Amino acid sequence: MRVRMADLAALHGPLLPELQAAFQRVIQRGRYVLGPELEALEEALALRLGAAHAVGVASGTDALLLALGAAGVGPGGLVITTPYTFVSTAQAVTRLGATPVFVDVDPATLNLSPPAVRAWLDAHSELTPRVQAILPVHLFGRAADLPALEALAGPLGIPVIEDAAQALGAMDPAGRAAGSVGKLGCFSFFPTKNLGALGEAGLVATSDHEAAERVRRRRSHGGAPHRFDEIGGNHRLDELQAAALLTFLPHLERWNARRRAVAARYAEALGRSLTVPAEPAAPAVHVWHQYVVRVPGRDAVVAALAAAGVGTALYYPVPLHLQPCFQELGYRAGELPETERAAAETLALPIHPALSDEDVELVIAAVLAALEATA
Ligand SMILES: Cc1ncc(COP(=O)(O)O)c(C=O)c1O
């Protein structure tokens, strides 16, 4: 591929001396788990997010599991969420013994639709007492409509838990940091995320002291060192990953700015030829984790782009309500039409911060040529 969906070697290469210094610091200290690197990372991210607590964990998946668990999600409960997300979002619900309720997305933003949540609540008032959380995902780096979801959830006493795995640096429609608004927010530092580790890592942010304490306890077997109050696990973020993340954190703004500039150029050059994602109005801030367009005849366009040396990806071609792992929930094709239409039509173009201007123009030319060839 001439232009790939991610190029971590190009992104990290210039930072190699800083990374080496960070690893040297950790190795000379000889402490690899729950040490000062993690403490410094947690402090920096809590400050950045405006949250009272940030708790580093081993992955975004673990962040979801621990955050939902700390909010009381468990057997017999229901969690309203989007079917148009990475599978991890809803699997965390099922792993806790609760049941995901999939509600359709807003076609303009591809995020959980507040009117669809309202409609579900109105149609299932007998089930409302069992709803333990509403779990929006800030898909592709655009914050969900949290004010509207809070207005629905608040009066019912239902906590909002944010899956902000793709959205570090994003701001919601009210100008609040994505992942800091709900009872708890979950982040992933998978290597290709806007802030990525050199392996697996994640974080839970919250301003609820009790919930933070629960997440802290459960990430390390439910207690320490000799008293274990509850069942936990090993969900810790290690010192080498924390050191790498601390090295990358000062570059996040610049990287997100580059993503924004690429998104603006794509919108300008492609907006007349296909459906490009809408930029939210200020004070919302989109961090463009992915640049996802809609194209009729998508699969032919994907093939034409691959032939031109341009990598693409599908997020997500099979929505969660139609995945085999959720088959027993009984959803049928056609039930969540906006989600299914998005799954059939969308296509992600390269938008990582290591793209050169030349790469971006090459993608644009290849997309326009592919559209013409497949029209
Ligand atoms: C929306 C969403 N939720 C959860 C996750 C899970 O994060 P991780 O891969 O770090 O477990 C990811 C990313 O992979 C994601 O994109």
Side-chain angles (χ1 to χ4, degrees):
M1 285 292 161
R2 287 155 75 193
V3 186
R4 288 183 286 155
M5 284 299 289
D7 190 348
L8 296 177
L11 191 68
H12 297 157
L15 302 177
L16 204 49
E18 283 181 62
L19 283 169
Q20 280 167 339
F23 291 154
Q24 190 172 342
R25 193 167 75 219
V26 174
I27 293 163
Q28 284 176 339
R29 190 184 295 126
R31 186 163 172 196
Y32 292 99
V33 176
L34 295 183
E37 304 292 328
L38 179 60
E39 272 174 35
L41 179 70
E42 290 178 340
E43 199 179 318
L45 286 169
L47 195 68
R48 198 198 147 93
L49 292 166
H53 306 275
V55 186
V57 295
S59 65
T61 299
D62 279 5
L64 284 161
L65 202 60
L66 291 168
L68 290 165
V73 170
L78 304 173
V79 174
I80 298 176
T81 192
T82 165
Y84 193 55
T85 176
F86 185 55
V87 70
S88 174
T89 310
Q91 280 192 344
V93 174
T94 308
R95 286 173 67 191
L96 288 162
T99 302
V101 172
F102 295 118
V103 163
D104 216 350
V105 297
D106 172 346
T109 65
L110 302 177
N111 277 324
L112 185 62
S113 157
V117 174
R118 170 85 275 160
W120 188 91
L121 289 168
D122 288 346
H124 300 88
S125 54
E126 78 289 357
L127 294 178
T128 306
R130 285 176 53 202
V131 177
Q132 295 174 328
I134 296 180
L135 176 58
V137 177
H138 305 310
L139 198 70
F140 305 142
R142 179 188 180 126
D145 189 348
L146 291 175
L149 293 172
E150 286 174 299
L152 291 175
L156 297 170
I158 300 170
V160 173
I161 314 286
E162 300 170 68
D163 182 339
Q166 304 183 358
L168 182 61
M171 297 289 172
D172 89 330
R176 300 167 295 178
S180 76
V181 176
K183 186 178 172 81
L184 299 112
C186 307
F187 293 89
S188 164
F189 303 126
F190 186 77
T192 53
K193 292 291 191 279
N194 290 40
L195 177 67
L198 300 177
E200 308 281 357
L203 185 101
V204 176
T206 182
S207 291
D208 181 316
H209 306 306
E210 215 175 288
E213 204 36 56
R214 227 170 287 150
V215 172
R216 262 185 216 289
R217 257 199 320 270
R218 290 181 188 177
R219 83 168 162 190
S220 210
H221 309 291
H226 299 299
R227 180 191 161 109
F228 300 95
D229 295 299
E230 50 188 333
I231 302 296
N234 180 351
H235 304 283
R236 297 182 296 249
L237 193 170
D238 72 70
E239 287 288 280
L240 285 169
Q241 294 304 340
L245 287 164
L246 274 172
T247 304
F248 295 148
L249 186 57
H251 302 279
L252 177 64
E253 267 320 302
R254 180 169 57 85
W255 289 342
N256 280 350
R258 178 62 186 155
R259 288 176 185 268
R260 257 193 297 284
V262 175
R265 176 67 191 129
Y266 280 161
E268 175 188 59
L270 300 174
R272 281 180 304 279
S273 308
L274 43 68
T275 308
V276 295
E279 173 98 47
V285 174
H286 196 320
V287 289
W288 301 104
H289 175 59
Q290 298 293 351
Y291 193 84
V292 174
V293 298
R294 283 179 188 260
V295 208
R298 175 194 60 197
D299 296 345
V301 174
V302 168
L305 287 173
V310 172
T312 57
L314 302 186
Y315 303 110
Y316 300 88
V318 182
L320 299 193
H321 67 291
L322 302 178
Q323 288 287 354
C325 65
F326 294 120
Q327 196 177 2
E328 66 181 39
L329 300 180
Y331 290 89
R332 296 275 170 268
E335 246 175 283
L336 298 171
E338 291 302 345
T339 296
E340 291 167 38
R341 199 158 65 83
E345 292 181 356
T346 56
L347 161 66
L349 301 176
I351 196 167
H352 58 84
L355 287 177
S356 66
D357 289 347
E358 201 181 29
D359 293 333
V360 173
E361 296 309 317
L362 197 148
V363 172
I364 290 166
V367 169
L368 295 175
L371 288 176
E372 211 170 291
T374 59

